Amino acid sequence: MEQFLTFFFEYKEAIFIIALSIFVGIEVISNVPAVLHTPLMSGANAISGVIIIGGIILVGHADLSKFSLDLVLGILALIFGTLNVVGGFAVTDRMLEMFKKKKK
Amino acid sequence: MLELSYLIAALLFVFGLKLLSHPETARRGNLWAAGGMGLAMITTLLLHKNSAGEGISITNIWIILCAIGVGAAIGWMVARKVKMTAMPQLVSLYNATGGGASMLVALLEYPAAMAGDIQSILVTVLGLIIGAVAFSGSLIAFGKLDGRVGDIMKPFMTYINLVLMVSTLALAVFIVISPNPPSEMMWAIYGLTALSLIYGVMFVMPIGGADMPVVISLLNSFTGIAAAMAGFIYNNQAMILGGILVGAAGMILTLLMCKAMNRSLINVIIGAFGGGGAALD
C-alpha cells in the first residue's frame, strides 16, 4: 500500500491525465451514429499518428556525423508517422466528402 | 509556451473527435484535429528541448522536413487516388504505419534507458509490444480486406497463440525486472520485437474477413495506447493525451461497432479461435 501511494504521488500528474483522457475519449464519441463509425475510426487513426512527435524528437537529436542503422530506422519511423497522419486525415476527409454528397 | 501549445493541440484533438461524431460537423472536426496535429508538430520542431536542454539543431530539421515531405506526399497521393471501395484497407494500412512508428521509436529509445529504471523500461517495452502487434496485425487486416490474405482457422492455432502470448509477456517481464543495463539486453529486446510481430499476425489470422472493421478499430485503439507509451518515454503531454484519447475512443468505438453487428467483442475475437487475444493490454 505504501509503495502504491509513493508511486501514485510520484506520477500523479500522468495518472490524472490518463484518467481524464479516458473519460473524455469515452464521453466524446458515445452517441455516434453507425454511418459515422468508419470515418470516426479513420479520424481517430490519424490522431494516433501523434507518434510522429516521437519521430521528430528521435531524428532531431540523432548524431548525423556518422551513418548508422539507428538513423535510418529513425527516419523510417518519421516517414511511417507522417503516412499515418497525412494519409489518415486525407482518407477521412475523402470519406466525409462522399458522405456529404450522398446526403444531397 | 511548449506546454501551452501542446494543450491547445490536445484540445483540438478532443473537439475534432467530438465534431467528427456528428454528421453535419464531421468534416470540420477532421480539419480541427488535423490542425491540432500540425500545431503539435511545429511546436515540437521549434520548441522541443531534450533533458540536457538542447533544442533540435538546424541540420536535423532539414532531414526531418525531407522525411515528412516524403511521407506526406505518398500519404496524400495514395489517399486521393485509391478507389472508394478500397478505403477500409487503406485505413488499416495507415494504422499499420502508426504502429510501426511506435515500435521503432520504442526500439530506438530502449538503449538510452538507465539500468534498473523500471518505470521507463516498462513504458518502452509496452510501447514496443503494442506497437508491433498493431503493425503486423493491421498489415494482415489490410491483406485480408484487399483479398491478398485468406482466413486460416485451425483449432491448434488457439494453443500457438496462447504460447506466443505467454512467452511474449514472460520475456517482457524479464526485460523490465532485469538489473542489467540495456546494452546487455539487446538480444532480448530484438526477440521481444520478433515475438510481438508474430503474435500480431497470429492474432488477426483466424478472424473472419467480415469482422475486419472491428479488428481494425481495436488495433487502432492499440496504436493510440502505443503512442501514449512513447509519450511517457519523452514525458510529452501531446503524445500522452492524444494517445490515450484514441485508445479510449477506439475501444468504445470497437464496442459500438460490435453492438451494431449484434455481436460481442469476445465473440468476434474468441469466437474465431477460442481464447486469450483480447487480454493483450
Side-chain angles (χ1 to χ4, degrees), chain B residues 102-137:
Chain B
S102 296
M103 173 185 81
L104 287 172
V105 167
L107 195 59
L108 294 172
E109 283 298 334
Y110 175 72
M114 304 285 272
D117 182 357
I118 290 185
Q119 272 87 21
S120 49
I121 296 178
L122 179 67
V123 289
T124 311
V125 162
L126 283 176
L128 179 72
I129 299 175
I130 302 170
V133 169
F135 175 64
S136 59

Side-chain angles (χ1 to χ4, degrees), chain B residues 113-199:
Chain B
M114 304 285 272
D117 182 357
I118 290 185
Q119 272 87 21
S120 49
I121 296 178
L122 179 67
V123 289
T124 311
V125 162
L126 283 176
L128 179 72
I129 299 175
I130 302 170
V133 169
F135 175 64
S136 59
S138 301
L139 280 182
I140 296 297
F142 162 76
K144 286 199 176 203
L145 284 174
D146 215 38
R148 293 163 201 257
V149 180
D151 300 342
I152 301 173
M153 292 178 224
K154 298 264 160 47
F156 64 84
M157 283 172 85
T158 310
Y159 302 103
I160 297 181
N161 281 346
L162 263 174
V163 170
L164 266 174
M165 191 168 72
V166 169
S167 40
T168 308
L169 291 180
L171 187 56
V173 170
F174 172 72
I175 292 172
V176 172
I177 62 171
S178 163
N180 293 335
S183 57
E184 287 171 27
M185 299 290 288
M186 290 317 284
W187 61 271
I189 213 81
Y190 291 136
L192 186 67
T193 313
L195 273 177
S196 311
L197 287 171
I198 298 169
Y199 183 74

Side-chain angles (χ1 to χ4, degrees), chain A residues 58-60 64 84 89 93-94, chain B residues 27 60 79-80 82 98 109:
Chain A
L58 200 63
V59 178
L64 297 180
N84 192 184
F89 284 123
D93 192 60
R94 226 181 124 196
Chain B
R27 209 167 166 200
N60 289 25
R80 283 283 135 191
V82 78
E109 283 298 334

